[in-house]
Amino acid sequence: MQDANREVAIAAKARGDEERRRVELEVQLRDVEGKRDALIVERDAAQAQIRVLTEERDGLLPVKKDLATRTAELERSVATNLKLRGDLAGAQTDAQASEQLAQERADELVAMRDKLDNHGAIVRRLEDDIAAQEQVIEGLRVQLQTAHDECAIMSDHREKARARSKQLTQEIFRRDHKIDELEADLAVHSEALAAIRRDVNRIGEKAPPVPVEEGEWLLEPIEHSGEMIRLTGSMLTIGRTAENDIALPSKMVSRNHARLLIGPNGIIVEDAGSTNGCFVNGEQVKQHLMHDTDVLEMGDLRYRLRLRGSRETSVRANVVPLFEQNTD
C-alpha cells in the first residue's frame, strides 16, 4: 500500500506536472497560433506588397533600360568632360603663354613706336633732301636730254664713218688680194726661174730650151667622192667655209686651211695655220712647190695634181674668183 501510495503520489505529482505541462503547452500553443495568425497576416501583407512591387518592377523595366542608356551616356559625358578639362588646362597654359607673348609684343611695339617716331623725323629730313635732289635731277635731265641730242648727232656721224670705213676696208681687202696675187706670181716666177737655172746648169748652155705646154692645173680626188677641181687664177684659198675660193666639206679641214700660188711650171702650197696640216707626197710641209702627179693631203682628203691641155673641157669649173680682177 505504501508502495502503491508512493506510486499514486508519484503519479499524482506526475499528473500535476503533466497538467502544468499541458497548461504551459496550451499557453505556448495559443502563443504559437497568435504568432501564426500574425505571420499569416504578415504573409498576406507581404504577398500584397510583392504584388505591388512586381507591378512597380514591371513598370520600372523600361525605365531601367533607359537608365542604363542614360548611365552609358553619362559615363561618356564624364569621359568627354575629363578630356575637355584636360584641353581646358592646356588652353589655359597656352593662354598664359599667349598673354606673356602678347605682353612682350606690346613692349616691343612700344619700342618700335619710339623708333618709328625717330625714323619719322629722319624721313622728314630725307624728304627735304629728296626734294632738293629732285631739283638737281631735273637739271641733270635737261643736261641728259642735251647729251642725248648730241649723241644722236654723233651716232649719225658714226654711221657715216662706219659706212666709209667699210668701203675703205673692202678697198683695202681688194688691194691686199691683188698684192697677194702679185706676190704669188712673183714667188712662182722666182721658183720657175730657179728651176730653169738649175735645168740650164744641169743640161748645159747648148741644150735647146724646153717649151712649156699651155694647159690648166687640176686637183683630182683620190679614194673619195669629191669632184675634180680646176685651179684658175694666180692665188686660191682652201678651207671648210664658203668664204674660201675652194670649199672642202670636211670636219678635218680647217676654216682657213691653205693657199695655192699657181704658176706655169708648178703650184706652191702654203699652210695657212691649219690644225691638221698639209702633206705633199706623205710629208708635212709649210711651203712647197708641187709638180704634176704630186699628191696633196689636207685633213682626211687627198688630191693628185694634174696638168692637162687647155683643149680638154670636160672638167667642171667649180672655182669662182672671190673678187673681180681690177683693171686699174
Side-chain angles (χ1 to χ4, degrees):
M1 284 294 290
Q2 290 177 354
D3 292 335
N5 289 326
R6 283 193 299 270
E7 291 179 0
V8 170
I10 292 171
K13 183 178 180 182
R15 186 178 63 186
D17 294 333
E18 288 293 334
E19 185 66 24
R20 287 192 302 272
R21 180 67 178 165
R22 184 182 65 78
V23 173
E24 291 176 359
L25 290 175
E26 287 179 356
V27 173
Q28 291 178 358
L29 180 61
R30 285 194 296 271
D31 293 336
V32 169
E33 287 178 352
K35 291 180 180 180
R36 184 194 63 183
D37 295 336
L39 289 173
I40 290 171
V41 173
E42 291 178 359
R43 183 194 64 185
D44 294 336
Q47 288 177 351
Q49 188 176 2
I50 287 171
R51 286 192 297 271
V52 174
L53 291 175
T54 301
E55 292 175 357
E56 292 179 356
R57 182 195 64 184
D58 294 337
L60 291 175
L61 284 176
V63 178
K64 180 181 180 182
K65 294 180 180 179
D66 185 52
L67 181 62
T69 304
R70 296 293 180 85
T71 303
E73 292 178 355
L74 181 61
E75 290 177 354
R76 288 194 296 271
S77 299
V78 170
T80 305
N81 191 12
L82 292 175
K83 183 178 179 181
L84 290 175
R85 286 182 179 179
D87 295 339
L88 180 60
Q92 289 177 351
T93 304
D94 294 338
Q96 292 176 357
S98 299
E99 289 178 357
Q100 184 177 0
L101 183 61
Q103 184 63 36
E104 293 176 356
R105 291 290 185 271
D107 296 338
E108 292 178 358
L109 184 60
V110 172
M112 291 297 292
R113 284 179 179 175
D114 296 336
K115 291 182 179 180
L116 185 60
D117 294 336
N118 296 329
H119 289 167
I122 296 173
V123 167
R124 286 190 293 273
R125 288 196 300 270
L126 291 176
E127 287 177 351
D128 296 336
D129 295 338
I130 290 172
Q133 291 293 331
E134 285 180 352
Q135 294 178 357
V136 175
I137 290 172
E138 187 63 28
L140 291 176
R141 284 178 179 172
V142 175
Q143 296 178 5
L144 182 61
Q145 184 63 37
T146 304
H148 282 169
D149 297 338
E150 293 177 354
C151 286
I153 297 172
M154 294 295 293
S155 178
D156 188 18
H157 292 325
R158 182 180 62 188
E159 292 298 329
K160 293 180 180 179
R162 283 182 178 177
R164 180 61 179 168
S165 177
K166 185 176 180 180
Q167 295 176 356
L168 293 175
T169 302
Q170 292 177 354
E171 183 66 25
I172 291 171
F173 188 78
R174 283 194 295 270
R175 292 185 180 182
D176 289 342
H177 186 71
K178 183 64 176 178
I179 291 171
D180 291 338
E181 289 180 352
L182 294 175
E183 289 178 351
D185 291 338
L186 180 60
V188 171
H189 293 162
S190 299
E191 184 66 24
L193 181 60
I196 292 172
R197 287 178 179 176
R198 288 194 297 270
D199 293 339
V200 169
N201 293 331
R202 187 170 58 251
I203 296 174
E205 296 180 356
K206 294 182 179 181
V210 179
V212 178
E213 180 184 0
E214 183 181 359
E216 63 179 357
W217 292 103
L218 306 173
L219 288 178
E220 181 182 10
I222 300 176
E223 297 178 354
H224 63 89
S225 61
E227 297 182 356
M228 192 81 72
I229 300 175
R230 289 181 58 186
L231 304 179
T232 60
S234 58
M235 195 273 289
L236 299 175
T237 59
I238 301 176
R240 188 177 67 250
T241 58
E243 63 186 8
N244 294 279
D245 298 325
I246 301 174
L248 301 179
S250 174
K251 293 183 179 179
M252 301 294 292
V253 177
S254 300
R255 294 174 59 87
N256 299 308
H257 199 98
R259 289 186 296 271
L260 297 179
L261 305 177
I262 303 170
N265 297 325
I267 294 178
I268 297 176
V269 58
E270 291 183 353
D271 191 345
S274 62
T275 301
N276 296 318
C278 297
F279 294 84
V280 177
N281 298 328
E283 295 184 359
Q284 186 172 4
V285 296
K286 292 296 183 182
Q287 187 180 42
H288 186 78
L289 176 62
M290 296 176 58
H291 299 284
D292 190 18
T293 71
D294 286 345
V295 176
L296 175 61
E297 183 178 354
M298 293 174 290
D300 57 346
L301 301 178
R302 299 172 66 229
Y303 292 89
R304 189 181 304 278
L305 182 63
R306 293 291 189 183
L307 179 61
R308 292 188 179 180
S310 60
R311 289 175 296 177
E312 299 179 7
T313 58
S314 61
V315 181
R316 185 180 66 87
N318 63 342
V319 178
V320 179
L322 184 62
F323 297 101
E324 295 180 355
Q325 297 292 335
N326 190 358
T327 59
D328 294 340

